[in-house]
Amino acid sequence: MANLVITIDGPAASGKSTVARLLAERLGASFLDTGAMYRAVTLAAIRAGVDMSDQEKLLGVMETSDFQFSVKEGKMVVGINGADVSEQLRNPEITANARHIASAPRVREKLVEMQRQFAAGEEKIVTEGRDQGTVAFGDADIKFYLTAEPSERAGRRQAELRAKGVSESLEKIQRAIEERDKSDENRTVGPLKPAGDAIVVDTTDLSIKEVVEKLLSCVKEKCLKKN
Ligand code: C5P
């Protein structure tokens, strides 16, 4: 296991990925975007044309697919059977279908196992998702839970989409985000919730830079002082 494990959980578009990446950079740590893992299995299942509600079929897809997860130049790179699929993982079809993968208990078990294996190979790691502090790394050195008002998160997602040349109404984006929150919070396995010992950070009125600084000072205070 890594010497330093930092978990960041939180709802959709709360800034977890960006913050995890920047925090990792500041600490010279590796980082893991676990949402990309759920998205990769979703893509493989769509390609295989399997019934997404059939857990056995999903496990079959996982067994016959060779997933590669790595970090290159500060970016999470995901491969399936040797082909880089990182760009495709943010497609709306994947986003909409990931909930099927996320609610299959044995699929989650396998992904959590892969997350722990990934962390075991790193000296320091910042890992982000929905269940990193509650399930995957219950004994992490420090746990964060990022939140923000749904309207703020929708605005951030809209700006991200705009930068990619995609125009979408704020209402539609907010509705999709709230639906995803509900599905993530209400599943029986690995539901979205702050760990009992997580530091909850409301990012509604904070810039990314401010969030990173805040987290960094908590890490320095709690984890780096003892060394
Ligand atoms: O974070 P991201 O939006 O990429 O995650 C995609 C989906 O994967 C989420 O909506 C959630 O259902 C699922 N997920 C999960 N547990 C994680 C990370 C992501 O269930 N640790």
Side-chain angles (χ1 to χ4, degrees):
M1 184 55 72
N3 284 331
L4 178 67
V5 178
I6 300 171
T7 61
I8 305 181
D9 290 304
S14 55
K16 300 181 305 293
S17 297
T18 311
V19 168
R21 191 165 43 74
L22 294 173
L23 183 65
E25 202 177 289
R26 294 283 291 275
L27 293 166
S30 182
F31 86 99
L32 182 61
D33 167 359
T34 61
M37 301 174 95
Y38 286 85
R39 288 171 183 271
V41 179
T42 309
L43 175 61
I46 291 173
R47 282 181 175 171
V50 299
D51 174 359
M52 295 268 198
S53 62
D54 186 333
Q55 178 166 253
E56 292 306 318
K57 291 266 167 31
L58 295 176
L59 289 167
V61 168
M62 286 185 83
E63 241 158 60
T64 52
S65 309
D66 180 19
F67 297 103
Q68 300 94 38
F69 302 102
S70 59
V71 179
K72 277 195 196 109
E73 290 159 10
K75 276 193 178 165
M76 178 94 189
V77 179
V78 180
I80 302 181
N81 302 331
D84 185 347
V85 296
S86 315
E87 289 304 317
Q88 293 166 55
L89 298 183
R90 311 298 310 175
N91 289 351
E93 191 190 5
I94 308 274
T95 307
N97 281 293
R99 68 191 164 88
H100 298 292
I101 309 303
S103 57
R106 285 170 58 212
V107 172
R108 290 197 77 87
E109 263 172 38
K110 281 196 178 300
L111 287 176
V112 166
E113 203 179 293
M114 286 159 82
Q115 290 155 16
R116 289 178 180 151
Q117 267 172 21
F118 186 99
E122 306 293 339
E123 201 201 319
K124 302 180 211 168
I125 188 158
V126 181
T127 177
E128 63 94 353
R130 305 293 189 286
D131 60 345
Q132 297 301 283
T134 50
V135 178
F137 302 98
D139 56 356
D141 296 278
I142 189 161
K143 303 174 184 179
F144 295 101
Y145 188 86
L146 300 191
T147 59
E149 290 298 328
S151 57
E152 170 64 23
R153 291 189 276 133
R156 292 177 190 170
R157 185 50 48 88
Q158 189 181 47
E160 235 173 70
L161 290 170
R162 266 203 199 120
K164 288 186 190 164
V166 181
S167 154
E168 195 73 87
S169 82
L170 207 56
E171 294 71 36
K172 195 172 166 197
I173 297 174
Q174 186 167 331
R175 218 177 311 124
I177 282 178
E178 285 173 335
E179 274 168 19
R180 212 137 69 87
D181 287 353
K182 210 193 273 169
S183 148
D184 281 334
E185 285 163 359
N186 292 332
R187 65 169 168 256
T188 49
V189 283
L192 169 67
K193 63 172 181 193
D197 51 351
I199 300 168
V200 179
V201 179
D202 186 340
T203 72
T204 306
D205 298 317
L206 300 177
S207 67
I208 290 285
K209 194 167 176 283
E210 287 170 324
V211 179
V212 174
E213 292 303 331
K214 194 177 174 82
L215 269 51
L216 197 58
S217 72
C218 293
V219 172
K220 283 183 178 157
E221 179 68 22
K222 182 159 192 253
C223 312
L224 305 182
K225 257 190 178 167
K226 64 186 180 196
N227 297 327

